[in-house]
């Protein structure tokens, strides 16, 4: 039996629920951005997003005897942290301030109270760090896998959310932080000989980048407030995938097919990533462009714009022939790159 891909399914759902069927947008922003935007009429907009994490798909756990276990397994504390972090990051990607989360969890028999205590401790720690209270949710049993759903709410000034659709020809393409560390962390954790071949501080850094992402809330707020950012999203599926989302959304709004050029020599790579790749004979570009789960911010801005946060310019947006729309040229390499695909 054939099955459509993830973005084909999202497109199908979007086509069945156009906002015009509910009387027009009225400032609403629905499917297609990191968060939905709901105008409140008091000078502020509410931001809402939700995300699923499924055991065996998004994470591996140490299990009961005879079941999976190993260094690639995430601890319950880190799972709690990451479950909240990836949702808080969605609000950061819109230039908003997170205000609350809701946690729903389906618990199978192999998850005990000690696991849940540690999971909630991790969830609480990052929630306290970013000032985001947990206001509710749901619990149920599961026949086999642990399933976690988090909904997050945030807010921004009315009309102030930074969407994926604001890129223009001539814009620069920029990122915060380093790229590829999280994906390299996962690769390292899956290698049976990894620990013995790289220094322990490198191993700890890569694992931390994968298991405990830091949502860029402060940076997102500053970028939105500066008024110079055209489009923005967080890097969850890799630059190769996420930049194409910006190109597609922005092309539809500006009425011109857009493409991008990325200078691979300018990508911000950590010394740890470079050392890891040298050790195992790997190409750091694969991790930086296709790996995903960095949760850094990918954004566009006009040339010479005053950008108030540390960032790296990695390329530019250009007009394209309709047939070349959404195309990305990877300068400095003969490779093509595709981001992570969920199914």
């Amino acid at each position: 039996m054939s099955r459509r891909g993830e973005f084909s399914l999202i497109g199908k759902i979007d086509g069945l629920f156009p906002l015009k069927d509910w009387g027009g947008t009225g400032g609403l922003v629905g499917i297609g951005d990191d968060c939905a935007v709901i105008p409140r009429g008091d000078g502020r907009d509410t931001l809402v997003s939700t995300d699923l994490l499924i055991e065996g798909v998004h994470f591996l756990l140490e299990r009961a005897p005879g079941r999976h276990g190993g260094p690639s397994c995430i601890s319950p504390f880190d799972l709690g942290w990451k479950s909240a972090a990836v949702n808080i990051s969605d609000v950061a990607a819109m230039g908003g301030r997170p205000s609350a989360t809701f946690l729903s969890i389906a618990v199978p028999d192999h998850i005990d109270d000690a696991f849940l205590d540690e999971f909630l401790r991790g969830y609480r720690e990052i929630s306290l760090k970013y000032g985001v209270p947990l206001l509710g949710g749901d619990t149920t049993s599961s026949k086999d896998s642990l399933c976690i759903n988090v909904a997050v709410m945030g807010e921004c000034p009315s009309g102030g959310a930074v969407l994926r659709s604001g890129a223009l020809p001539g814009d620069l393409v920029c990122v915060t932080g380093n790229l590829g560390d999280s994906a390299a962390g996962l690769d390292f954790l899956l290698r049976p000989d990894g620990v013995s071949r790289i220094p322990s501080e490198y191993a700890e850094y890569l694992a931390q980048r994968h298991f405990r992402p830091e949502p860029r809330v402060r940076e997102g707020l500053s970028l939105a407030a500066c008024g110079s950012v055209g489009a923005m999203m967080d890097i969850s599926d890799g630059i190769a995938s996420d930049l194409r989302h910006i190109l597609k959304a922005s092309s539809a709004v500006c009425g011109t097919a857009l493409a991008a050029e990325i200078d691979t020599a300018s990508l911000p790579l950590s010394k740890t990533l470079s050392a890891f790749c040298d050790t195992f004979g790997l190409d750091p570009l694969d991790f930086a462009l296709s790996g995903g789960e960095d949760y850094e911010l990918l954004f566009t801005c006009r040339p010479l714009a005053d950008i108030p946060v540390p960032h790296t310019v990695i390329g530019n947006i250009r007009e394209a022939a309709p047939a070349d729309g959404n195309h990305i040229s990877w300068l400095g390499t003969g490779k093509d790159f595709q981001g992570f695909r969920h199914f």
Side-chain angles (χ1 to χ4, degrees), residues 58 60 70-74 78 82 178-195 198-213 270-277 280 282-284 286-288 290-294:
H58 300 98
L60 301 174
S72 60
C73 296
I74 191 169
D78 287 344
K82 191 168 186 177
N178 293 323
L179 303 177
D181 288 337
S182 176
L186 178 60
D187 186 277
F188 158 73
L189 291 164
L190 292 171
R191 289 177 176 271
D193 61 342
V195 174
I198 64 173
S200 59
E201 63 269 24
Y202 287 8
E204 182 178 354
Y205 171 82
L206 291 174
Q208 186 88 347
R209 288 287 287 142
H210 181 66
F211 286 145
R212 291 197 200 177
S270 69
K271 292 180 179 179
T272 304
L273 174 63
S274 298
F276 172 76
C277 290
F280 292 101
L282 303 170
D283 186 350
D286 291 328
F287 296 113
S290 298
E293 292 205 333
D294 286 312

Side-chain angles (χ1 to χ4, degrees), residues 32-34 93 162-169 171-175 229-235 238-254 256-260 262 296-301 314 316-317 325-328:
D33 267 275
D34 289 273
V162 185
L163 309 181
R164 299 178 181 182
S165 55
L168 295 170
D171 275 2
L172 303 178
V173 179
C174 308
V175 294
V229 172
M232 185 162 68
M233 63 183 298
D234 66 347
I235 303 171
I239 294 287
S241 178
D242 295 333
L243 182 55
R244 286 186 170 95
H245 295 324
I246 286 177
L247 293 173
K248 182 179 179 180
S250 298
S251 295
V253 169
C254 74
T256 299
L258 297 178
I262 298 298
E296 297 292 347
L297 297 178
L298 168 67
F299 64 95
T300 71
C301 66
I314 63 171
N316 63 84
I317 305 292
N326 304 338
H327 175 72
I328 302 175

Side-chain angles (χ1 to χ4, degrees), residues 2-326:
S2 64
R3 184 172 64 171
R4 60 170 57 93
E6 177 195 11
F7 299 115
S8 176
L9 176 58
I10 293 172
K12 180 72 170 180
I13 296 170
D14 189 23
L16 288 170
F17 293 89
L19 291 176
K20 64 180 178 61
D21 288 356
W22 281 265
T25 64
L28 285 170
V29 176
I31 296 170
D33 267 275
D34 289 273
C35 292
V37 182
I38 305 171
R40 298 198 317 224
D42 63 352
R44 309 289 292 177
D45 290 343
T46 294
L47 306 172
V48 183
S49 184
T50 185
D51 199 38
L52 271 171
L53 296 169
I54 306 297
E55 181 185 355
V57 177
H58 300 98
F59 59 88
L60 301 174
L61 295 179
E62 294 181 2
R63 305 290 291 269
R67 307 187 78 161
H68 182 87
S72 60
C73 296
I74 191 169
S75 72
F77 181 95
D78 287 344
L79 181 59
W81 174 288
K82 191 168 186 177
S83 297
V86 300
N87 283 274
I88 293 171
S89 181
D90 282 336
V91 175
M94 305 290 287
R97 186 179 301 279
S99 56
T101 65
F102 296 80
L103 170 66
S104 296
I105 186 167
V107 184
D109 289 341
H110 63 268
I111 299 297
D112 59 18
D113 285 348
F115 181 101
L116 292 174
D117 287 346
E118 277 297 288
F119 172 88
L120 292 171
R121 192 171 70 86
Y123 196 103
R124 171 181 166 81
E125 183 161 313
I126 188 172
S127 298
L128 287 171
K129 181 174 184 177
Y130 288 95
V132 188
L134 173 64
L135 296 186
D138 194 17
T139 59
T140 187
S141 62
S142 171
K143 292 187 178 298
D144 182 66
S145 298
L146 177 64
C147 304
I148 302 161
N149 178 258
V150 177
V152 64
M153 296 180 67
E155 65 173 26
C156 66
S158 181
V162 185
L163 309 181
R164 299 178 181 182
S165 55
L168 295 170
D171 275 2
L172 303 178
V173 179
C174 308
V175 294
T176 62
N178 293 323
L179 303 177
D181 288 337
S182 176
L186 178 60
D187 186 277
F188 158 73
L189 291 164
L190 292 171
R191 289 177 176 271
D193 61 342
V195 174
S196 63
R197 294 183 61 183
I198 64 173
S200 59
E201 63 269 24
Y202 287 8
E204 182 178 354
Y205 171 82
L206 291 174
Q208 186 88 347
R209 288 287 287 142
H210 181 66
F211 286 145
R212 291 197 200 177
E214 286 282 356
R216 303 305 186 192
V217 175
R218 180 186 62 80
E219 292 86 346
L221 288 166
S222 295
L223 289 168
C226 79
S228 298
V229 172
M232 185 162 68
M233 63 183 298
D234 66 347
I235 303 171
S236 57
D237 295 334
I239 294 287
S241 178
D242 295 333
L243 182 55
R244 286 186 170 95
H245 295 324
I246 286 177
L247 293 173
K248 182 179 179 180
S250 298
S251 295
V253 169
C254 74
T256 299
L258 297 178
E261 294 179 338
I262 298 298
D263 177 9
T264 59
S266 70
L267 298 176
L269 308 178
S270 69
K271 292 180 179 179
T272 304
L273 174 63
S274 298
F276 172 76
C277 290
D278 287 345
T279 299
F280 292 101
L282 303 170
D283 186 350
L285 295 182
D286 291 328
F287 296 113
L289 296 173
S290 298
E293 292 205 333
D294 286 312
Y295 297 104
E296 297 292 347
L297 297 178
L298 168 67
F299 64 95
T300 71
C301 66
R302 303 305 295 172
L304 304 179
D306 184 14
I307 301 301
V309 303
H311 66 284
T312 304
V313 177
I314 63 171
N316 63 84
I317 305 292
R318 60 176 175 82
E319 289 190 34
D324 294 328
N326 304 338

